[in-house]
Amino acid sequence: MTVSSATSSTGTGTTSSSSASTVTTTGTTNSTSIDWGALIDAEVNAKLAQATSITTTITANQAKVSAYQSLQAELSTLASGLSSLSSSIINSIATNAFATRSATITSTGDVSASSALSMSVNSGSATGDHTLQITQLATAQKVIGSSQSSSTTALGYSGTFSLGLSGGSSAAISITSSMSMQDIVDAVNAQTTTTNVQASVVQVSSGSYELVLTGTQDAADISYSSTPGGDDILNKLGVTDTSGAFTDVLQTSQAAKFTLDGIALTRNTNDISDVLSGVTFDLLQPTPSGATVNISIGTDTSQIATALQTFVTNYNAFRDQVIAQSALNSDGTASSSAALFGDNTMRDIMTQLQQVLSGSVGGMTMADLGLSFNENNELALDTGTLSTVLTSNLAGVTRLLSAQTATSSSQLSVVNTGTSPQSFTLDLTVDSTGTLTGASIAGDSSGFSVVGNSLIGNAGTIYAGMAFSYTGSTSQSITVTSTSGLAAQIYQLAQTNSGSSGTLQTLISNLQSRDTDLQSQVNDIQSNAATFKARLQVQYANYQAAIESANNTLGYLKALLDAASSN
């Protein structure tokens, strides 16, 4: 008879179970039963006990990894939400809350501001007040021909003409005798990209159609010439006279004329983007004599308010994660779901955040913004207080929140403060031609790279993210002074701990590496237990065979004895 067994596995641990194999030995006075399967299970499970213990450790580590990853995600979200507040000058100025702009338009005199002007303002544009008066709008030339009885009947004209705008490109347009007025319109419009002239048919009345040509650019006349050898097409349609001049000009071309802050200006378009940097004016109608449009460009503080409300939401989400990982049962013991109960790193990050929130910059604190902790110890924002301080002390709010950098020389302009601003003295080297060749700090030139007249903080240094522009022509030393606001500090703290090389990722990687080693140990234990089990099965099978052989011998001897005694 052979001893057999079955093995079942759960998770990373293994429990061995053998099918019951029992042999019974009988003698004249007693019998003995041996459960080989139970014996094998007991010995194999003893070997697997260590694997079960290690598996418990792996499971606990996995719970910690999951908890750390949740904290990491919440911190990353916290940092992302603060990026627009962390610096008053930032590479992507479009995402900087302090650089966003809004414009208020009012009017003085007999004019509606919204009827006379619309405008857009880019982030980073200069703030200030301006006065605008519009004398005339820019217009494109528009001409019309004489009445034709049909727009779809073949005209019978054949010829080629050149069309365009004065000073611009022109195109040759060929007309055949089978083409109607509408076909001519289509032929003209097929070349509009080149000529900047559009054509259309206007139905004046029943049986009366006229061709209209319109320039697509203001302040430029339509230019036309007929090619000899064919019909003068536009003359046939009454658009030009025999001399080539337009017979009926519906609208003359002219430039826009306006006055900004008392400065008389002329532009060939009503969409004007080259007067104030980052500002586009769309002139809509002239302003009456004595009337003005008043423009006020300022910081769009609603973006700052939105970013602060996002910060409150994200901070509370991280705080909730920390609380969940510190939960207690009713008996005072750690909750089974609190995988990071008592974790020093988690506690240190929360402590650092709270310390920053309790700090001050320039004599202001978070309370001045309307930020406080409510009865549930959650961060809350009083929007009324915030609105007031944004109106009365925007400069103070900027200092309180953002990282700011200033230089001791107007020849060194700050392009970007970076996320971890530093204060230092920058020694600049300029050669005999006035070209910037080097930059060092206390003799160390590894902090910045020189690119043309720009200085770029090198990655991996404390100056990473900082950038300057130098307009000087001589070597000199310039002091750079930086301050780090509360939003900038929290942003840096969150980034440092949640990044790919941050504190939490280091803990996660260490646990994952440890789990890999532990799982390897479990695999070795399971493999050795399987080998041990196979050896036992063979060994006990041999025992069982020997016992069965002995039983057979005893039976034979007993039969002999019984036969002898009966004689």
Side-chain angles (χ1 to χ4, degrees), residues 86-99:
S86 63
S87 177
S88 59
I89 303 176
I90 198 164
N91 283 332
S92 181
I93 201 167
T95 61
N96 179 3
F98 297 102

Side-chain angles (χ1 to χ4, degrees), residues 73-424:
E74 295 296 350
L75 275 180
S76 179
T77 300
L78 180 62
S80 177
L82 283 172
S83 61
S84 67
L85 293 175
S86 63
S87 177
S88 59
I89 303 176
I90 198 164
N91 283 332
S92 181
I93 201 167
T95 61
N96 179 3
F98 297 102
T100 57
R101 299 290 182 259
S102 63
T104 302
I105 308 174
T106 60
S107 61
T108 301
D110 186 20
V111 63
S112 166
S114 60
S115 297
L117 175 71
S118 67
M119 61 182 294
S120 62
V121 187
N122 295 338
S123 293
S125 300
T127 60
D129 298 328
H130 306 278
T131 300
L132 177 70
Q133 292 175 303
I134 304 170
T135 304
Q136 72 177 29
L137 297 181
T139 56
Q141 187 178 36
K142 180 180 291 188
V143 298
I144 191 170
S146 59
S147 176
Q148 307 293 319
S149 60
S150 172
S151 64
T152 57
T153 302
L155 295 171
Y157 304 144
S158 178
T160 300
F161 60 88
S162 176
L163 196 63
L165 291 183
S166 58
S169 300
S170 61
I173 300 172
S174 296
I175 305 301
T176 63
S177 59
S178 63
M179 296 174 68
S180 66
M181 182 188 293
Q182 185 59 56
D183 293 332
I184 294 174
V185 167
D186 294 340
V188 170
N189 290 339
Q191 299 292 333
T192 296
T193 302
T194 301
T195 65
N196 291 306
V197 177
Q198 289 179 333
S200 60
V201 174
V202 175
Q203 182 175 353
V204 179
S205 61
S206 177
S208 177
Y209 302 87
E210 298 182 22
L211 176 68
V212 177
L213 298 178
T214 305
T216 61
Q217 293 180 353
D218 296 328
D221 289 332
I222 298 173
S223 174
Y224 164 79
S225 64
S226 178
T227 303
D231 291 321
D232 186 339
I233 304 299
L234 293 192
N235 177 257
K236 291 287 187 180
L237 294 173
V239 178
T240 62
D241 58 23
T242 54
S243 68
F246 294 118
T247 57
D248 190 355
V249 178
L250 297 177
Q251 180 174 276
T252 60
S253 64
Q254 64 182 23
K257 294 183 179 181
F258 58 100
T259 300
L260 183 69
D261 298 333
I263 304 171
L265 300 166
T266 301
R267 293 292 186 272
N268 289 334
T269 176
N270 294 312
D271 297 321
I272 301 162
S273 58
D274 62 349
V275 174
L276 296 177
S277 179
V279 178
T280 298
F281 294 123
D282 185 8
L283 308 183
L284 302 178
Q285 71 176 37
T287 55
S289 177
T292 61
V293 175
N294 308 309
I295 303 162
S296 180
I297 301 173
T299 300
D300 183 0
T301 57
S302 68
Q303 299 298 314
I304 301 173
T306 298
L308 279 172
Q309 187 60 66
T310 298
F311 163 64
V312 169
T313 299
N314 294 340
Y315 173 87
N316 287 334
F318 175 74
R319 169 188 169 277
D320 289 344
Q321 285 284 342
V322 172
I323 291 174
Q325 292 302 322
S326 305
L328 294 172
N329 294 319
S330 58
D331 61 0
T333 59
S335 169
S336 59
S337 62
L340 299 181
F341 187 86
D343 183 80
N344 288 332
T345 300
M346 178 182 71
R347 184 169 57 247
D348 288 346
I349 294 173
M350 195 69 221
T351 298
Q352 291 175 57
L353 286 174
Q354 291 172 340
Q355 287 174 342
V356 173
L357 285 172
S358 64
S360 65
V361 177
M364 292 182 67
T365 68
M366 284 294 195
D368 293 311
L369 300 181
L371 286 168
S372 62
F373 290 97
N374 61 23
E375 64 275 8
N376 296 320
N377 203 30
E378 297 170 326
L379 192 61
L381 177 64
D382 184 330
T383 56
T385 300
L386 177 61
S387 178
T388 298
V389 73
L390 287 174
T391 301
S392 63
N393 191 9
L394 180 58
V397 173
T398 305
R399 280 193 304 272
L400 174 64
L401 295 174
S402 69
Q404 299 186 74
T405 299
T407 71
S408 61
S409 171
S410 60
Q411 293 179 332
L412 185 66
S413 302
V414 180
V415 176
N416 190 46
T417 62
T419 56
S420 181
Q422 308 292 322
S423 296
F424 50 88

Side-chain angles (χ1 to χ4, degrees), residues 405-415 428 453 468-473 476-480:
T405 299
T407 71
S408 61
S409 171
S410 60
Q411 293 179 332
L412 185 66
S413 302
V414 180
V415 176
L428 303 179
N453 67 339
F468 301 91
S469 177
Y470 185 57
T471 58
S473 58
Q476 60 177 307
S477 296
I478 299 175
T479 300
V480 177

Side-chain angles (χ1 to χ4, degrees), residues 38-64:
L39 290 174
I40 292 173
D41 286 348
E43 294 192 57
V44 172
N45 287 338
K47 294 286 186 182
L48 291 172
Q50 186 180 3
T52 301
S53 176
I54 294 174
T55 299
T56 300
T57 300
I58 291 174
T59 301
N61 286 347
Q62 290 172 339
K64 286 185 177 181

